[in-house]
Amino acid sequence: MSTPTLIGVAAFRGRYTARLIQFGEDPQVLVPLLRRIWTDTFSRDTGAMAAALLAHDWWSLAVNPKPRRWDQQRPVPGLGHPADNDTIRRGALREDVGGALEWLYLLHLDQRRLVVYEATVHGRWLRHSAHHLDPADELFITEPADDGGGPEMTVCTVCGAVDEIDHVEVPSMAGYGYDTATSCTRCGSSVATDPMFGDHVTRKPWPPHNPTTGDATGSAR
């Protein structure tokens, strides 16, 4: 069963340019695939990757697409199977979704970041998640539970705290979307987001610097 998905590039004030992937995937599948395409096919050149994605609509994306007898176009090496139709889409996050779409993936070129939106039952785009194309840039990551049977854990990549996360979300002053702040309650590292300027990551020193003089409180004797 197909999962109609848009993939494209974010622009100013919530606008975007995108192409259709007829057989898209949810973020658990497509985010790792896009990271691999970014690394293996485009050598981490986000602009080149965006231009290639916007050159076609797509049946599906793949790192090593194989020719198929029913395809009318040859596969694009390192990227996927282009579709026959050729319609570039321009829209805004505040507009109705329109059509049978499930996901929207937008590249933020200057930040090497991918933001994922999910279509709601009310036909609106709702921010689902944000991902750096280089996983090393992520402040918080999700990992399987230690026992393999419990819920996934959210881990701070600065201090290693597990599920010690505080999250606040409020309607954005930009007039659309939400401003968010997610922080580690152990080390104080945080990531703040807004729909206009994207992410701002603050990594606190860890372990904390010990006082160099005086007692444990840092007071000189």
Side-chain angles (χ1 to χ4, degrees), residues 53-88:
L53 287 168
L54 291 176
H56 305 275
D57 282 350
W58 302 91
W59 287 116
S60 61
L61 300 182
V63 174
N64 188 24
K66 303 295 185 183
R68 303 178 302 195
R69 63 179 182 274
W70 59 84
D71 285 337
Q72 296 187 18
Q73 298 192 50
R74 296 175 61 85
V76 177
L79 194 53
H81 297 276
D84 304 330
N85 54 323
D86 190 32
T87 305
I88 198 162

mmCIF file of all heavy atoms in Angstrom, residues 53-88:
data_model
loop_
_atom_site.group_PDB
_atom_site.id
_atom_site.type_symbol
_atom_site.label_atom_id
_atom_site.label_comp_id
_atom_site.label_asym_id
_atom_site.label_seq_id
_atom_site.Cartn_x
_atom_site.Cartn_y
_atom_site.Cartn_z
ATOM 1 N N LEU A 53 16.539 15.845 -5.538
ATOM 2 C CA LEU A 53 15.208 15.425 -5.102
ATOM 3 C C LEU A 53 14.112 16.241 -5.780
ATOM 4 O O LEU A 53 13.035 15.724 -6.090
ATOM 5 C CB LEU A 53 15.090 15.554 -3.584
ATOM 6 C CG LEU A 53 15.849 14.518 -2.754
ATOM 7 C CD1 LEU A 53 15.896 14.940 -1.288
ATOM 8 C CD2 LEU A 53 15.207 13.142 -2.888
ATOM 9 N N LEU A 54 14.380 17.529 -6.022
ATOM 10 C CA LEU A 54 13.374 18.399 -6.632
ATOM 11 C C LEU A 54 13.335 18.284 -8.154
ATOM 12 O O LEU A 54 12.497 18.916 -8.800
ATOM 13 C CB LEU A 54 13.632 19.853 -6.233
ATOM 14 C CG LEU A 54 13.372 20.198 -4.762
ATOM 15 C CD1 LEU A 54 13.759 21.644 -4.480
ATOM 16 C CD2 LEU A 54 11.910 19.954 -4.386
ATOM 17 N N ALA A 55 14.205 17.472 -8.729
ATOM 18 C CA ALA A 55 14.238 17.327 -10.187
ATOM 19 C C ALA A 55 13.139 16.408 -10.710
ATOM 20 O O ALA A 55 12.830 16.431 -11.906
ATOM 21 C CB ALA A 55 15.602 16.796 -10.626
ATOM 22 N N HIS A 56 12.563 15.575 -9.837
ATOM 23 C CA HIS A 56 11.551 14.606 -10.260
ATOM 24 C C HIS A 56 10.524 14.410 -9.151
ATOM 25 O O HIS A 56 10.809 14.644 -7.976
ATOM 26 C CB HIS A 56 12.175 13.218 -10.536
ATOM 27 C CG HIS A 56 13.291 13.212 -11.510
ATOM 28 N ND1 HIS A 56 13.107 13.148 -12.869
ATOM 29 C CD2 HIS A 56 14.637 13.242 -11.314
ATOM 30 C CE1 HIS A 56 14.275 13.140 -13.478
ATOM 31 N NE2 HIS A 56 15.226 13.203 -12.558
ATOM 32 N N ASP A 57 9.327 13.938 -9.537
ATOM 33 C CA ASP A 57 8.506 13.179 -8.605
ATOM 34 C C ASP A 57 9.108 11.776 -8.539
ATOM 35 O O ASP A 57 9.866 11.365 -9.426
ATOM 36 C CB ASP A 57 7.057 13.110 -9.079
ATOM 37 C CG ASP A 57 6.293 14.404 -8.792
ATOM 38 O OD1 ASP A 57 6.826 15.267 -8.071
ATOM 39 O OD2 ASP A 57 5.174 14.550 -9.315
ATOM 40 N N TRP A 58 8.740 11.018 -7.495
ATOM 41 C CA TRP A 58 9.387 9.728 -7.265
ATOM 42 C C TRP A 58 8.360 8.648 -6.963
ATOM 43 O O TRP A 58 7.364 8.894 -6.280
ATOM 44 C CB TRP A 58 10.364 9.831 -6.080
ATOM 45 C CG TRP A 58 11.413 10.865 -6.294
ATOM 46 C CD1 TRP A 58 11.351 12.188 -5.935
ATOM 47 C CD2 TRP A 58 12.654 10.685 -6.965
ATOM 48 N NE1 TRP A 58 12.493 12.833 -6.334
ATOM 49 C CE2 TRP A 58 13.310 11.944 -6.965
ATOM 50 C CE3 TRP A 58 13.284 9.590 -7.550
ATOM 51 C CZ2 TRP A 58 14.566 12.128 -7.535
ATOM 52 C CZ3 TRP A 58 14.530 9.764 -8.118
ATOM 53 C CH2 TRP A 58 15.162 11.023 -8.111
ATOM 54 N N TRP A 59 8.651 7.438 -7.487
ATOM 55 C CA TRP A 59 7.906 6.276 -7.007
ATOM 56 C C TRP A 59 8.401 5.902 -5.618
ATOM 57 O O TRP A 59 7.618 5.663 -4.710
ATOM 58 C CB TRP A 59 8.082 5.086 -7.953
ATOM 59 C CG TRP A 59 7.348 5.207 -9.249
ATOM 60 C CD1 TRP A 59 7.885 5.283 -10.499
ATOM 61 C CD2 TRP A 59 5.924 5.274 -9.425
ATOM 62 N NE1 TRP A 59 6.896 5.399 -11.448
ATOM 63 C CE2 TRP A 59 5.679 5.392 -10.815
ATOM 64 C CE3 TRP A 59 4.844 5.256 -8.549
ATOM 65 C CZ2 TRP A 59 4.392 5.482 -11.343
ATOM 66 C CZ3 TRP A 59 3.557 5.344 -9.070
ATOM 67 C CH2 TRP A 59 3.347 5.454 -10.442
ATOM 68 N N SER A 60 9.731 5.842 -5.473
ATOM 69 C CA SER A 60 10.336 5.493 -4.186
ATOM 70 C C SER A 60 11.792 5.921 -4.214
ATOM 71 O O SER A 60 12.376 6.132 -5.286
ATOM 72 C CB SER A 60 10.230 3.987 -3.909
ATOM 73 O OG SER A 60 10.913 3.251 -4.913
ATOM 74 N N LEU A 61 12.387 6.040 -3.024
ATOM 75 C CA LEU A 61 13.801 6.362 -2.896
ATOM 76 C C LEU A 61 14.569 5.102 -2.506
ATOM 77 O O LEU A 61 14.045 4.235 -1.807
ATOM 78 C CB LEU A 61 14.015 7.449 -1.840
ATOM 79 C CG LEU A 61 13.320 8.792 -2.082
ATOM 80 C CD1 LEU A 61 13.682 9.776 -0.977
ATOM 81 C CD2 LEU A 61 13.661 9.365 -3.449
ATOM 82 N N ALA A 62 15.818 5.023 -2.947
ATOM 83 C CA ALA A 62 16.655 3.864 -2.630
ATOM 84 C C ALA A 62 18.107 4.239 -2.872
ATOM 85 O O ALA A 62 18.417 5.012 -3.788
ATOM 86 C CB ALA A 62 16.273 2.653 -3.476
ATOM 87 N N VAL A 63 18.996 3.688 -2.064
ATOM 88 C CA VAL A 63 20.423 3.941 -2.246
ATOM 89 C C VAL A 63 20.940 3.235 -3.492
ATOM 90 O O VAL A 63 21.776 3.770 -4.224
ATOM 91 C CB VAL A 63 21.206 3.484 -1.000
ATOM 92 C CG1 VAL A 63 22.706 3.615 -1.226
ATOM 93 C CG2 VAL A 63 20.796 4.305 0.221
ATOM 94 N N ASN A 64 20.427 2.046 -3.756
ATOM 95 C CA ASN A 64 20.893 1.257 -4.901
ATOM 96 C C ASN A 64 19.686 0.752 -5.699
ATOM 97 O O ASN A 64 19.379 -0.443 -5.708
ATOM 98 C CB ASN A 64 21.745 0.082 -4.412
ATOM 99 C CG ASN A 64 22.414 -0.663 -5.551
ATOM 100 O OD1 ASN A 64 22.636 -0.111 -6.627
ATOM 101 N ND2 ASN A 64 22.713 -1.937 -5.321
ATOM 102 N N PRO A 65 18.980 1.665 -6.399
ATOM 103 C CA PRO A 65 17.763 1.250 -7.111
ATOM 104 C C PRO A 65 18.080 0.355 -8.312
ATOM 105 O O PRO A 65 19.009 0.627 -9.074
ATOM 106 C CB PRO A 65 17.158 2.580 -7.563
ATOM 107 C CG PRO A 65 18.331 3.503 -7.675
ATOM 108 C CD PRO A 65 19.282 3.090 -6.586
ATOM 109 N N LYS A 66 17.318 -0.709 -8.459
ATOM 110 C CA LYS A 66 17.505 -1.649 -9.563
ATOM 111 C C LYS A 66 16.490 -1.357 -10.675
ATOM 112 O O LYS A 66 15.348 -0.984 -10.394
ATOM 113 C CB LYS A 66 17.315 -3.085 -9.069
ATOM 114 C CG LYS A 66 18.232 -3.480 -7.916
ATOM 115 C CD LYS A 66 19.687 -3.478 -8.323
ATOM 116 C CE LYS A 66 20.571 -3.991 -7.186
ATOM 117 N NZ LYS A 66 22.010 -3.932 -7.539
ATOM 118 N N PRO A 67 16.890 -1.524 -11.935
ATOM 119 C CA PRO A 67 15.922 -1.355 -13.036
ATOM 120 C C PRO A 67 14.753 -2.323 -12.884
ATOM 121 O O PRO A 67 14.929 -3.479 -12.484
ATOM 122 C CB PRO A 67 16.756 -1.677 -14.282
ATOM 123 C CG PRO A 67 18.172 -1.464 -13.869
ATOM 124 C CD PRO A 67 18.239 -1.850 -12.422
ATOM 125 N N ARG A 68 13.543 -1.824 -13.198
ATOM 126 C CA ARG A 68 12.342 -2.655 -13.132
ATOM 127 C C ARG A 68 11.655 -2.603 -14.490
ATOM 128 O O ARG A 68 11.579 -1.536 -15.109
ATOM 129 C CB ARG A 68 11.410 -2.144 -12.026
ATOM 130 C CG ARG A 68 12.077 -2.107 -10.658
ATOM 131 C CD ARG A 68 11.166 -1.565 -9.571
ATOM 132 N NE ARG A 68 10.680 -0.220 -9.847
ATOM 133 C CZ ARG A 68 10.118 0.572 -8.929
ATOM 134 N NH1 ARG A 68 9.991 0.138 -7.677
ATOM 135 N NH2 ARG A 68 9.686 1.771 -9.255
ATOM 136 N N ARG A 69 11.133 -3.732 -14.923
ATOM 137 C CA ARG A 69 10.627 -3.819 -16.294
ATOM 138 C C ARG A 69 9.419 -2.923 -16.539
ATOM 139 O O ARG A 69 9.144 -2.546 -17.675
ATOM 140 C CB ARG A 69 10.282 -5.269 -16.640
ATOM 141 C CG ARG A 69 9.180 -5.889 -15.811
ATOM 142 C CD ARG A 69 8.910 -7.323 -16.249
ATOM 143 N NE ARG A 69 7.824 -7.941 -15.503
ATOM 144 C CZ ARG A 69 7.970 -8.555 -14.344
ATOM 145 N NH1 ARG A 69 9.175 -8.634 -13.799
ATOM 146 N NH2 ARG A 69 6.928 -9.090 -13.721
ATOM 147 N N TRP A 70 8.695 -2.551 -15.485
ATOM 148 C CA TRP A 70 7.505 -1.732 -15.689
ATOM 149 C C TRP A 70 7.798 -0.230 -15.609
ATOM 150 O O TRP A 70 6.932 0.584 -15.904
ATOM 151 C CB TRP A 70 6.429 -2.102 -14.674
ATOM 152 C CG TRP A 70 6.870 -1.928 -13.242
ATOM 153 C CD1 TRP A 70 6.856 -0.788 -12.504
ATOM 154 C CD2 TRP A 70 7.395 -2.949 -12.390
ATOM 155 N NE1 TRP A 70 7.338 -1.014 -11.243
ATOM 156 C CE2 TRP A 70 7.669 -2.344 -11.145
ATOM 157 C CE3 TRP A 70 7.651 -4.314 -12.558
ATOM 158 C CZ2 TRP A 70 8.203 -3.058 -10.070
ATOM 159 C CZ3 TRP A 70 8.172 -5.019 -11.488
ATOM 160 C CH2 TRP A 70 8.441 -4.404 -10.265
ATOM 161 N N ASP A 71 9.003 0.148 -15.203
ATOM 162 C CA ASP A 71 9.335 1.573 -15.116
ATOM 163 C C ASP A 71 9.530 2.169 -16.502
ATOM 164 O O ASP A 71 10.184 1.576 -17.364
ATOM 165 C CB ASP A 71 10.617 1.774 -14.300
ATOM 166 C CG ASP A 71 10.398 1.601 -12.811
ATOM 167 O OD1 ASP A 71 9.244 1.768 -12.370
ATOM 168 O OD2 ASP A 71 11.370 1.304 -12.096
ATOM 169 N N GLN A 72 8.978 3.356 -16.715
ATOM 170 C CA GLN A 72 9.175 4.056 -17.974
ATOM 171 C C GLN A 72 10.429 4.923 -17.957
ATOM 172 O O GLN A 72 10.883 5.375 -19.005
ATOM 173 C CB GLN A 72 7.946 4.916 -18.295
ATOM 174 C CG GLN A 72 6.677 4.101 -18.512
ATOM 175 C CD GLN A 72 5.518 4.956 -18.994
ATOM 176 O OE1 GLN A 72 5.711 6.059 -19.486
ATOM 177 N NE2 GLN A 72 4.305 4.429 -18.857
ATOM 178 N N GLN A 73 10.969 5.189 -16.769
ATOM 179 C CA GLN A 73 12.206 5.950 -16.656
ATOM 180 C C GLN A 73 13.254 5.113 -15.937
ATOM 181 O O GLN A 73 12.940 4.304 -15.070
ATOM 182 C CB GLN A 73 11.976 7.255 -15.885
ATOM 183 C CG GLN A 73 10.998 8.208 -16.555
ATOM 184 C CD GLN A 73 11.033 9.576 -15.907
ATOM 185 O OE1 GLN A 73 12.095 10.162 -15.708
ATOM 186 N NE2 GLN A 73 9.856 10.087 -15.564
ATOM 187 N N ARG A 74 14.495 5.340 -16.303
ATOM 188 C CA ARG A 74 15.584 4.623 -15.660
ATOM 189 C C ARG A 74 15.759 5.118 -14.224
ATOM 190 O O ARG A 74 15.524 6.295 -13.931
ATOM 191 C CB ARG A 74 16.887 4.830 -16.440
ATOM 192 C CG ARG A 74 16.855 4.248 -17.842
ATOM 193 C CD ARG A 74 18.128 4.608 -18.597
ATOM 194 N NE ARG A 74 19.306 4.067 -17.935
ATOM 195 C CZ ARG A 74 19.765 2.834 -18.125
ATOM 196 N NH1 ARG A 74 19.123 2.014 -18.961
ATOM 197 N NH2 ARG A 74 20.845 2.415 -17.509
ATOM 198 N N PRO A 75 16.179 4.244 -13.317
ATOM 199 C CA PRO A 75 16.425 4.696 -11.946
ATOM 200 C C PRO A 75 17.571 5.702 -11.890
ATOM 201 O O PRO A 75 18.475 5.680 -12.737
ATOM 202 C CB PRO A 75 16.770 3.406 -11.201
ATOM 203 C CG PRO A 75 17.197 2.446 -12.254
ATOM 204 C CD PRO A 75 16.440 2.801 -13.487
ATOM 205 N N VAL A 76 17.518 6.570 -10.908
ATOM 206 C CA VAL A 76 18.595 7.537 -10.679
ATOM 207 C C VAL A 76 19.561 6.906 -9.683
ATOM 208 O O VAL A 76 19.183 6.646 -8.533
ATOM 209 C CB VAL A 76 18.046 8.860 -10.131
ATOM 210 C CG1 VAL A 76 19.192 9.828 -9.842
ATOM 211 C CG2 VAL A 76 17.053 9.474 -11.115
ATOM 212 N N PRO A 77 20.791 6.615 -10.086
ATOM 213 C CA PRO A 77 21.721 5.932 -9.179
ATOM 214 C C PRO A 77 21.890 6.683 -7.860
ATOM 215 O O PRO A 77 22.049 7.905 -7.830
ATOM 216 C CB PRO A 77 23.034 5.916 -9.979
ATOM 217 C CG PRO A 77 22.604 6.001 -11.408
ATOM 218 C CD PRO A 77 21.388 6.878 -11.404
ATOM 219 N N GLY A 78 21.830 5.923 -6.785
ATOM 220 C CA GLY A 78 22.033 6.497 -5.465
ATOM 221 C C GLY A 78 20.876 7.296 -4.923
ATOM 222 O O GLY A 78 20.980 7.889 -3.847
ATOM 223 N N LEU A 79 19.738 7.305 -5.645
ATOM 224 C CA LEU A 79 18.626 8.146 -5.194
ATOM 225 C C LEU A 79 17.277 7.444 -5.254
ATOM 226 O O LEU A 79 16.532 7.476 -4.279
ATOM 227 C CB LEU A 79 18.590 9.433 -6.017
ATOM 228 C CG LEU A 79 17.710 10.559 -5.475
ATOM 229 C CD1 LEU A 79 18.050 10.878 -4.023
ATOM 230 C CD2 LEU A 79 17.867 11.810 -6.335
ATOM 231 N N GLY A 80 16.920 6.825 -6.395
ATOM 232 C CA GLY A 80 15.636 6.143 -6.411
ATOM 233 C C GLY A 80 15.031 6.018 -7.787
ATOM 234 O O GLY A 80 15.696 6.192 -8.814
ATOM 235 N N HIS A 81 13.714 5.726 -7.793
ATOM 236 C CA HIS A 81 12.956 5.498 -9.017
ATOM 237 C C HIS A 81 12.089 6.724 -9.309
ATOM 238 O O HIS A 81 11.117 6.985 -8.595
ATOM 239 C CB HIS A 81 12.063 4.267 -8.864
ATOM 240 C CG HIS A 81 12.829 2.996 -8.652
ATOM 241 N ND1 HIS A 81 13.341 2.255 -9.693
ATOM 242 C CD2 HIS A 81 13.182 2.344 -7.510
ATOM 243 C CE1 HIS A 81 13.969 1.193 -9.216
ATOM 244 N NE2 HIS A 81 13.890 1.221 -7.893
ATOM 245 N N PRO A 82 12.414 7.498 -10.359
ATOM 246 C CA PRO A 82 11.596 8.672 -10.686
ATOM 247 C C PRO A 82 10.238 8.265 -11.240
ATOM 248 O O PRO A 82 10.098 7.226 -11.889
ATOM 249 C CB PRO A 82 12.432 9.405 -11.739
ATOM 250 C CG PRO A 82 13.288 8.345 -12.352
ATOM 251 C CD PRO A 82 13.564 7.348 -11.264
ATOM 252 N N ALA A 83 9.240 9.102 -10.974
ATOM 253 C CA ALA A 83 7.887 8.836 -11.459
ATOM 254 C C ALA A 83 7.676 9.498 -12.821
ATOM 255 O O ALA A 83 8.464 10.336 -13.261
ATOM 256 C CB ALA A 83 6.859 9.346 -10.458
ATOM 257 N N ASP A 84 6.575 9.115 -13.478
ATOM 258 C CA ASP A 84 6.302 9.615 -14.820
ATOM 259 C C ASP A 84 5.787 11.052 -14.794
ATOM 260 O O ASP A 84 6.093 11.839 -15.685
ATOM 261 C CB ASP A 84 5.274 8.712 -15.513
ATOM 262 C CG ASP A 84 5.742 7.261 -15.554
ATOM 263 O OD1 ASP A 84 6.964 7.045 -15.604
ATOM 264 O OD2 ASP A 84 4.882 6.365 -15.512
ATOM 265 N N ASN A 85 4.975 11.382 -13.791
ATOM 266 C CA ASN A 85 4.437 12.742 -13.724
ATOM 267 C C ASN A 85 5.525 13.708 -13.272
ATOM 268 O O ASN A 85 6.545 13.314 -12.710
ATOM 269 C CB ASN A 85 3.236 12.805 -12.781
ATOM 270 C CG ASN A 85 3.545 12.247 -11.410
ATOM 271 O OD1 ASN A 85 4.282 11.280 -11.284
ATOM 272 N ND2 ASN A 85 2.980 12.850 -10.382
ATOM 273 N N ASP A 86 5.315 14.989 -13.527
ATOM 274 C CA ASP A 86 6.371 15.970 -13.295
ATOM 275 C C ASP A 86 5.751 17.263 -12.772
ATOM 276 O O ASP A 86 5.644 18.251 -13.489
ATOM 277 C CB ASP A 86 7.144 16.219 -14.592
ATOM 278 C CG ASP A 86 8.406 17.034 -14.351
ATOM 279 O OD1 ASP A 86 8.994 16.898 -13.268
ATOM 280 O OD2 ASP A 86 8.779 17.813 -15.238
ATOM 281 N N THR A 87 5.327 17.242 -11.514
ATOM 282 C CA THR A 87 4.632 18.386 -10.929
ATOM 283 C C THR A 87 5.352 18.839 -9.670
ATOM 284 O O THR A 87 5.372 18.118 -8.668
ATOM 285 C CB THR A 87 3.175 18.031 -10.579
ATOM 286 O OG1 THR A 87 2.520 17.534 -11.744
ATOM 287 C CG2 THR A 87 2.438 19.255 -10.054
ATOM 288 N N ILE A 88 5.957 20.013 -9.714
ATOM 289 C CA ILE A 88 6.583 20.557 -8.517
ATOM 290 C C ILE A 88 5.516 21.276 -7.700
ATOM 291 O O ILE A 88 4.604 21.904 -8.254
ATOM 292 C CB ILE A 88 7.746 21.497 -8.888
ATOM 293 C CG1 ILE A 88 8.654 21.714 -7.680
ATOM 294 C CG2 ILE A 88 7.247 22.807 -9.481
ATOM 295 C CD1 ILE A 88 10.025 22.240 -8.031
#
